[in-house]
Amino acid sequence: MADVAELAGVSTQTVSRVVNGSPRVDPATRSRVEAAMATAGYRVHRAARALRTGRTGVVGAVVSTLATVGNSMLLEAVVDEASVRGYAVAVARIGEGGPAEAFERLRDQGVDGAIVVNEASALLRQTELPTDLRLAVVDSPPDDRYAGVETAHAAGSAAATAHLRDLGHRVIAHVAGPASSYAAAERERGWRETLGAADLDPGPLLRGTWDSASGYRAGLELLANLDVSDPVTAIVVANDQMALGVLRAASELGILVPDQLSVVGFDDVADAANFTPALTTVRQRFDLLGQRAVAAVLDGAEAGSRDVIEAPLIVRGSSAAPFVQPA
């Protein structure tokens, strides 16, 4: 650090402030110090800094699976935000030993806190949580034991359902996510409550497992046995992957989207605009979820606090007014 200070023409205290991301350094000085660090080959010694500051510069992430698009996108956002803050991320997957074993593995790595990702949150309800780790949990019912960060799932699903209702659809089905998922339950709630407020009965509900194959199976079951006198004309799908499967089922059955069937997804994954037709969907801000979850851990959000992120509806080509058969 002294070598860097001499090269940059500043004090070692200024170098320390740059290393630790202090805002109390003007941009020109920061650039000069960073250039001197590069010239000198300076690297932060994490073990030494941990002894001095009590922080290791590592944040933990607890996951149950990375097979779902939502989980992988959220973890990517967590890694991006942690990196911006100068932190590394240690990932612990929940195995046979349950969440307690995953937390223990993270403890062994000396993490400064942990983020529990999506579906893994369901496994915390009957688990005794570590009191020595700062925790942020993404997508979980309110709990006084940790800070919560979530998408406005119910409000997003309600907006999707209201969009279809306002287009004139009266029988609106739902392809839901797994029964154990908090996000899936909230999206189902938004669908039910919006229809109920309009004095409309909920259409058929089938449940998938977040992947496109389960959406395809649900789509076949829904669309192959339509009540001709009162057919389903629209489907709210709990995520974009399952919506892709529904679109495939409709295509194979010769049902035109959106002429004969409107489909709305949830997430707005990067490929949603390139579906055929382009998918109307609810945008989930994974970038903000990752940023807020990391901030909750590293900046010390209060246990029991809730940070809810809006989920706007993105209207594209897969939704339209229902087809009216000419008299």
Side-chain angles (χ1 to χ4, degrees):
M1 191 175 285
D3 293 340
V4 171
E6 184 177 352
L7 279 171
V10 298
S11 67
T12 55
Q13 185 178 28
T14 298
V15 176
S16 177
R17 286 173 178 163
V18 171
V19 168
N20 290 291
S22 170
R24 297 170 57 194
V25 183
D26 69 78
T29 301
R30 184 181 301 279
S31 296
R32 196 162 72 249
V33 171
E34 288 173 345
M37 288 168 64
T39 299
Y42 178 84
R43 296 290 184 272
V44 175
H45 193 296
R46 289 191 180 275
R49 186 166 73 173
L51 287 173
R52 180 171 55 83
T53 66
R55 287 196 168 195
T56 61
V58 180
V59 65
V62 178
V63 302
S64 58
T65 178
L66 289 176
T68 64
V69 172
N71 280 10
S72 59
M73 290 180 70
L74 178 56
L75 183 60
E76 181 179 26
V78 166
V79 170
D80 287 346
E81 178 62 17
S83 178
V84 167
R85 288 170 171 254
Y87 273 71
V89 177
V91 179
R93 184 172 178 179
I94 296 175
E96 292 182 1
E101 183 185 52
F103 286 127
E104 193 60 34
R105 276 183 274 134
L106 291 178
R107 251 207 219 93
D108 290 344
Q109 297 180 65
V111 298
D112 293 330
I115 296 163
V116 181
V117 175
N118 295 354
E119 274 74 21
S121 69
L123 302 174
L124 301 184
R125 295 166 196 167
Q126 306 301 322
T127 299
E128 185 175 346
L129 300 181
T131 57
D132 56 340
L133 275 182
R134 284 176 293 178
L135 295 180
V137 180
V138 180
D139 287 345
S140 167
D143 195 310
D144 291 338
R145 298 177 297 169
Y146 47 73
V149 181
E150 67 179 88
T151 294
H153 299 288
S157 183
T161 308
H163 165 66
L164 295 170
R165 177 202 64 202
D166 293 345
L167 285 171
H169 295 278
R170 292 296 173 265
V171 183
I172 302 172
H174 184 44
V175 176
S180 61
S181 166
Y182 171 75
E186 286 292 281
R187 294 172 197 179
E188 180 183 336
R189 179 168 71 86
W191 166 73
R192 287 188 183 278
E193 290 181 354
T194 304
L195 293 175
D199 292 326
L200 295 173
D201 292 330
L205 181 146
L206 292 175
R207 202 169 290 284
T209 53
W210 295 130
D211 60 314
S212 57
S214 68
Y216 170 66
R217 292 191 295 271
L220 286 178
E221 185 174 344
L222 262 176
L223 300 174
N225 300 294
L226 292 181
D227 183 345
V228 177
S229 63
D230 197 15
V232 171
T233 61
I235 306 176
V236 174
V237 189
N239 79 336
D240 291 350
Q241 295 302 111
M242 292 194 297
L244 176 60
V246 170
L247 291 177
R248 177 191 167 195
S251 176
E252 290 186 1
L253 293 170
I255 297 171
L256 299 177
V257 177
D259 299 28
Q260 297 169 287
L261 177 74
S262 286
V263 178
V264 180
F266 202 112
D267 283 343
D268 194 26
V269 298
D271 292 333
N274 296 315
F275 286 8
T276 301
L279 185 65
T280 295
T281 186
V282 176
R283 177 169 293 162
Q284 190 167 192
R285 293 294 307 274
F286 291 104
D287 56 339
L288 291 182
L289 284 168
Q291 290 168 20
R292 304 278 181 85
V294 171
V297 168
L298 299 185
D299 299 340
E302 289 186 11
S305 63
R306 309 290 294 167
D307 189 352
V308 182
I309 298 168
E310 292 185 1
L313 178 69
I314 308 300
V315 178
R316 298 194 180 101
S318 66
S319 57
F323 175 75
V324 178
Q325 186 73 34

